[in-house]
Amino acid sequence: MDDEFRHESIQDTESIRNYLQALLDGFENGRILFGTRKKKLILEPHGLLNLSVKARRKNKEVKVSVKISWVEDKDSREAGQDLLEIKPGKKKIK
Amino acid sequence: MAKKEIEKKGILSNHGIDRNFKTLILEVQKQVEDTRLVLDQPEGKLQNKILTRDDYIDNLKSLIENKCFYSNLKANLGKRELDLIRAINIITANLEKIADFSVNIISQLQYLDNPLFLHKFDYKSLFDEVTSSLELVERSLRKQDINQAFKICRSEQRIDDIFAEQFKLIMDDLRQGNEVENLVTSLFILRYLERMGDQLLNIGEAIIFAGVGEKLKISHIEALEDSMENIDIHGPITNLSIESFLETKSGCRINRIQGQEKADQETGVIFKEGQVDKLEQENKNIQLLEKMKPGLPPRVFGFNKNGKSASILLEFLNGTTLQKGLLESNNRFLDRAMKQLTHDLEDLWTRSKKNKPVHAHYINQTNQRIDDIFRAHPDFKLLEKQIGTHRTLSLNALLDQTHRIEDEIGGAPFSVLIHGDFNIDNVLYDEAEGVIHFIDLHRSRHQDYVQDISVFILSNFRLPVFVSRIRKNINQMALNMYDFGQQFAKNQKDPTFEARLALGLIRSFTTSTRFEFNKEFASTMLLRAVYLMEKLMGYRGQPWEQFTIPRDVLVY
């Protein structure tokens, strides 16, 4: 079963901290909640995490993607793997 | 001379012109009606009657002409009375032409194998248009009713449309190769009816001339829709359709003006029809702006009320809208236009400044349109979300919070006369004369100048054009306006300019989405509004005088 959460926003280099910090705290505590009123997705990162960092500049569009993935304990979840991908909005370079 | 005096004084009745004129109209009406009857039922004696009446009409025309030209009537008359006489003369000549065409139609009948052949085509609608316009002539001239005169003018267009349809039918039949003579004769007959429409246009223009005292060329007839909201919107445009956009949007104006050689004394006019209260407001606003900054708004040639609807006759201003300048990448034009515009704004705002504080209620304005926004984009309600310990708000909750912040920030320390719908297509620059004009002034009033600035910036931003050469200019224009506003605020010692501009931008970003159906672009605008709201919320507790807007938010 797929559980998915998406959120898009525009931030600046200052306000983006709120999001990054919240995620960092989540990794530290071993529990991150992604939710709306209707639906909650709780992830519990532990053990080994795959981390891939990609940066790219094409014309004037710049993209940094950080992908963190892991496989959950088969006991605690039904099956499959959850993927968390953090993609900051496109930021222009002046 | 006031309109009604013409009637009272009866300059014309003294010489019997009015009686002759009324008779002429009646006779021409009868002539056209009888012609129709002959076409309906070709048997009968009406044809002779029509030929006899034609002589009478010619005589009446000469009589009126003589009285207008050679009597001592003109000796002591002012310009308005002379204009009226001139108009009567023009109308008379055109009425007589219509009567002539009636005779021409009758004389064509003999070339039809079967006079009923014409019944294949819709000559009846053409007659309907002609007769209903003729009915308006006498009264609209007497009352100097521009509304009615325009009805007459517009019948020409409808007559042309009907004729075009019939023309096509005839051509289709001709290609079959049968009944060629009958078809050609039918075409002649319908063509005479079409030409009656041309005479009616001349008549309508003559009545307007008598009413406003200037020779006007009708450039643009605009019907205001009930919802004034829709006026600044010209339907969704995409990147791919700039060409057609340019053509359709300004085409009607340009065609009419450039299509005909302009006579020296002719001024183009725009005719707007709509609800009384809205047009009345526009009329008042124009007078007020004209006082503050002569030449900025269009001149008003006439204003007519007719029950719930009204019409206004406005000067057709020469010049190009800033929007058109942008889309055509006319850099020289844009530079000069912006220089002149900011100069004029500074002038207008300083002159019209009233020191009483004023509150634009940007968030209330947004809330009033929120249903329309959600109807266009249901997902813009934005669910409350949580990412770890970080929470984001729904759009309604964000607006609530921002509303409170707006109360903290307060209104503007003074008001100025704002445009009220300050889109880049409501600003014209006449490069030859070096002057700026404002159009569509129904929402102009004393308000926070920041409203005009934010609307102007957004009208740049939301142009769905992504060609980088054009986009660069669009962004530059938005930034120019921002810089000008900042400077103006500084000069006028307005400390909360930036914070209020953030509110104005939140309003304009959010409400602009309801007209943008390119999902990605609409989202970009909404997310900028959200960004600004979060920015304000994060700033709470600090002095609003020091709040600044990141310039990047103004450009795409």
Side-chain angles (χ1 to χ4, degrees):
Chain A
M1 179 187 142
D2 282 352
D3 277 334
E4 204 181 86
F5 174 89
R6 267 178 90 95
H7 178 71
E8 278 168 43
S9 70
I10 291 176
Q11 304 296 328
D12 54 42
T13 48
E14 193 184 320
S15 61
I16 201 167
R17 288 178 67 93
N18 296 327
Y19 288 81
L20 296 180
Q21 193 60 52
L23 290 170
L24 276 179
D25 292 348
F27 280 104
E28 237 173 69
N29 302 333
R31 189 173 186 274
I32 316 173
L33 170 69
F34 297 90
T36 63
R37 271 196 185 161
K38 288 179 185 162
K39 205 174 162 189
K40 279 195 174 78
L41 175 64
I42 297 170
L43 301 184
E44 294 175 334
H46 68 279
L48 297 182
L49 310 172
N50 299 313
L51 170 69
S52 109
V53 178
K54 274 191 205 165
R56 181 177 86 157
R57 179 187 291 131
K58 194 176 171 188
N59 297 325
K60 288 188 170 179
E61 290 194 1
V62 180
K63 190 169 170 178
V64 176
S65 6
V66 178
K67 191 160 106 179
I68 304 166
S69 60
W70 67 93
V71 182
E72 277 183 331
D73 252 3
K74 296 230 161 131
D75 300 340
S76 65
R77 290 278 303 174
E78 280 170 13
Q81 54 179 353
D82 286 280
L83 218 66
L84 165 62
E85 190 177 356
I86 310 161
K87 282 185 187 166
K90 288 169 189 168
K91 185 148 170 59
K92 282 177 200 158
I93 286 213
K94 295 278 131 164
Chain B
M1 174 179 242
K3 288 177 186 176
K4 278 177 188 158
E5 283 176 60
I6 292 173
E7 244 179 291
K8 273 188 226 154
K9 263 198 171 177
I11 335 150
L12 301 173
S13 64
N14 290 342
H15 294 78
I17 294 182
D18 67 338
R19 208 162 20 89
N20 299 144
F21 186 64
K22 269 187 200 168
T23 312
L24 174 70
I25 293 172
L26 282 175
E27 291 300 321
V28 174
Q29 276 178 292
K30 273 194 254 170
Q31 195 75 326
V32 172
E33 281 160 21
D34 283 352
T35 305
R36 177 185 184 151
L37 287 177
V38 171
L39 297 185
D40 285 348
Q41 284 178 317
E43 311 303 323
K45 291 175 187 165
L46 270 176
Q47 297 199 26
N48 279 335
K49 220 171 162 185
I50 289 171
L51 294 175
T52 323
R53 195 187 284 119
D54 190 48
D55 292 337
Y56 181 46
I57 288 173
D58 283 353
N59 283 336
L60 272 173
K61 179 205 162 201
S62 304
L63 190 66
I64 295 170
E65 225 172 47
N66 278 331
K67 286 185 181 178
C68 286
F69 270 103
Y70 303 115
S71 72
N72 56 357
L73 180 75
K74 289 184 285 184
N76 298 312
L77 294 183
K79 182 169 183 303
R80 289 304 294 274
E81 291 94 336
L82 288 173
D83 286 347
L84 182 65
I85 290 172
R86 188 171 159 195
I88 286 183
N89 214 359
I90 296 169
I91 297 167
T92 301
N94 281 285
L95 284 171
E96 194 258 340
K97 263 271 162 58
I98 290 177
D100 279 350
F101 293 149
S102 293
V103 176
N104 292 341
I105 289 172
I106 298 302
S107 59
Q108 284 294 320
L109 271 183
Q110 55 179 309
Y111 303 110
L112 289 177
D113 288 346
N114 173 5
L116 293 176
F117 183 83
L118 191 71
H119 290 213
K120 283 178 66 151
F121 304 104
D122 187 14
Y123 66 94
K124 289 182 180 172
S125 297
L126 290 166
F127 272 105
D128 284 345
E129 287 293 341
V130 174
T131 45
S132 59
S133 283
L134 282 174
E135 269 170 36
L136 300 173
V137 174
E138 195 270 332
R139 194 174 170 278
S140 61
L141 181 71
R142 184 161 43 86
K143 299 266 180 197
Q144 309 241 310
D145 186 334
I146 292 168
N147 247 337
Q148 301 289 313
F150 264 99
K151 274 193 188 156
I152 298 172
C153 292
R154 261 179 296 179
S155 68
E156 188 246 0
Q157 187 57 54
R158 285 194 298 271
I159 288 171
D160 278 0
D161 292 345
I162 299 168
F163 175 73
E165 279 171 33
Q166 305 311 308
F167 179 77
K168 196 180 165 294
L169 290 177
I170 291 178
M171 292 317 264
D172 288 346
D173 284 358
L174 275 174
R175 282 187 202 102
Q176 309 291 318
N178 303 322
E179 309 245 38
V180 173
E181 288 80 5
N182 282 335
L183 286 167
V184 170
T185 304
S186 298
L187 182 61
F188 282 151
I189 291 175
L190 295 173
R191 173 79 172 147
Y192 281 123
L193 285 164
E194 186 269 330
R195 290 182 65 186
M196 287 185 185
D198 300 341
Q199 313 305 319
L200 286 168
L201 178 62
N202 293 341
I203 291 171
E205 285 184 345
I207 297 171
I208 293 167
F209 165 71
V212 303
E214 282 194 54
K215 193 104 179 80
L216 303 174
K217 201 77 218 157
I218 302 146
S219 333
H220 192 65
I221 297 173
E222 209 175 316
L224 295 193
E225 291 178 28
D226 279 353
S227 155
M228 300 289 276
E229 291 295 331
N230 297 328
I231 284 184
D232 54 338
I233 296 308
H234 307 278
I237 20 169
T238 64
N239 204 13
L240 292 171
S241 62
I242 301 169
E243 286 301 318
S244 67
F245 166 71
L246 282 172
E247 270 173 32
T248 54
K249 223 193 110 204
S250 34
C252 50
R253 290 182 175 186
I254 291 163
N255 287 346
R256 291 303 289 257
I257 286 274
Q258 293 178 340
Q260 293 143 352
E261 292 260 315
K262 254 180 120 182
D264 281 348
Q265 295 299 313
E266 268 176 9
T267 311
V269 284
I270 291 177
F271 180 73
K272 274 187 173 185
E273 256 185 322
Q275 287 174 20
V276 169
D277 45 347
K278 281 166 185 165
L279 284 182
E280 213 157 31
Q281 194 58 51
E282 176 154 17
N283 191 19
K284 274 185 203 160
N285 295 342
I286 289 175
Q287 312 302 335
L288 203 58
L289 269 163
E290 178 64 26
K291 248 192 214 167
M292 291 287 169
K293 188 110 183 100
L296 189 68
R299 284 159 70 198
V300 177
F301 288 114
F303 181 76
N304 267 96
K305 282 195 248 182
N306 198 344
K308 277 184 185 170
S309 74
S311 59
I312 191 167
L313 195 54
L314 299 169
E315 176 186 10
F316 179 88
L317 293 161
N318 289 319
T320 306
T321 67
L322 297 185
Q323 179 162 307
K324 194 157 182 282
L326 280 172
L327 295 174
E328 288 172 352
S329 291
N330 187 344
N331 289 356
R332 199 179 99 114
F333 168 90
L334 293 173
D335 283 352
R336 291 177 161 204
M338 273 316 274
K339 242 179 226 150
Q340 191 60 43
L341 175 62
T342 49
H343 173 272
D344 286 358
L345 280 179
E346 168 121 44
D347 199 26
L348 172 68
W349 290 353
T350 319
R351 278 195 218 184
S352 62
K353 186 178 165 193
K354 286 183 183 169
N355 280 321
K356 209 175 144 206
V358 67
H359 211 308
H361 300 291
Y362 295 108
I363 304 305
N364 269 348
Q365 292 189 46
T366 315
N367 282 328
Q368 279 163 18
R369 294 170 177 95
I370 203 83
D371 288 340
D372 293 338
I373 297 165
F374 290 157
R375 208 169 297 134
H377 306 284
D379 53 326
F380 279 11
K381 287 179 181 159
L382 302 181
L383 299 168
E384 276 176 38
K385 283 183 193 157
Q386 191 173 350
I387 298 175
T389 49
H390 184 72
R391 283 167 188 273
T392 63
L393 298 177
S394 68
L395 186 59
N396 278 326
L398 282 165
L399 287 168
D400 272 357
Q401 294 282 335
T402 313
H403 197 197
R404 276 175 223 164
I405 292 173
E406 186 172 27
D407 288 342
E408 286 172 25
I409 296 169
F414 56 85
S415 69
V416 303
L417 198 53
I418 67 163
H419 180 290
D421 192 7
F422 202 39
N423 288 304
I424 48 174
D425 60 347
N426 282 337
V427 180
L428 293 172
Y429 180 57
D430 180 346
E431 211 175 1
E433 301 287 328
V435 289
I436 289 280
H437 297 293
F438 286 0
I439 55 174
D440 272 352
L441 289 155
H442 53 274
R443 290 204 204 127
S444 174
R445 64 196 176 280
H446 267 91
Q447 235 325 324
D448 183 358
Y449 64 99
V450 164
Q451 174 154 330
D452 268 3
I453 292 184
S454 58
V455 168
F456 187 91
I457 290 173
L458 244 292
S459 70
N460 278 286
F461 189 98
R462 71 166 181 229
L463 269 184
V465 179
F466 310 104
V467 179
S468 66
R469 166 177 54 91
I470 298 177
R471 197 74 217 177
K472 212 175 127 194
N473 286 333
I474 294 174
N475 289 339
Q476 194 51 52
M477 190 175 277
L479 289 173
N480 279 349
M481 184 50 73
Y482 171 64
D483 292 338
F484 162 71
Q486 222 175 20
Q487 195 55 45
F488 182 79
K490 207 173 148 193
N491 296 344
Q492 299 295 325
K493 300 188 172 49
D494 170 9
T496 54
F497 165 76
E498 295 259 340
R500 293 197 328 277
L501 182 60
L503 294 166
L505 290 170
I506 289 165
R507 166 198 178 244
S508 297
F509 270 128
T510 312
T511 56
S512 292
T513 61
R514 70 195 196 280
F515 304 122
E516 180 53 65
F517 293 95
N518 172 341
K519 203 80 200 165
E520 200 187 322
F521 197 41
S523 270
T524 300
M525 293 196 272
L526 178 76
L527 291 182
R528 273 164 209 253
V530 171
Y531 167 76
L532 284 169
M533 287 192 268
E534 287 178 347
K535 198 92 191 143
L536 287 171
M537 283 157 59
Y539 197 81
R540 249 175 151 173
Q542 301 171 65
W544 290 115
E545 292 78 11
Q546 284 160 32
F547 180 84
T548 54
I549 291 173
R551 284 170 80 85
D552 283 354
V553 85
L554 310 174
V555 299
Y556 184 73

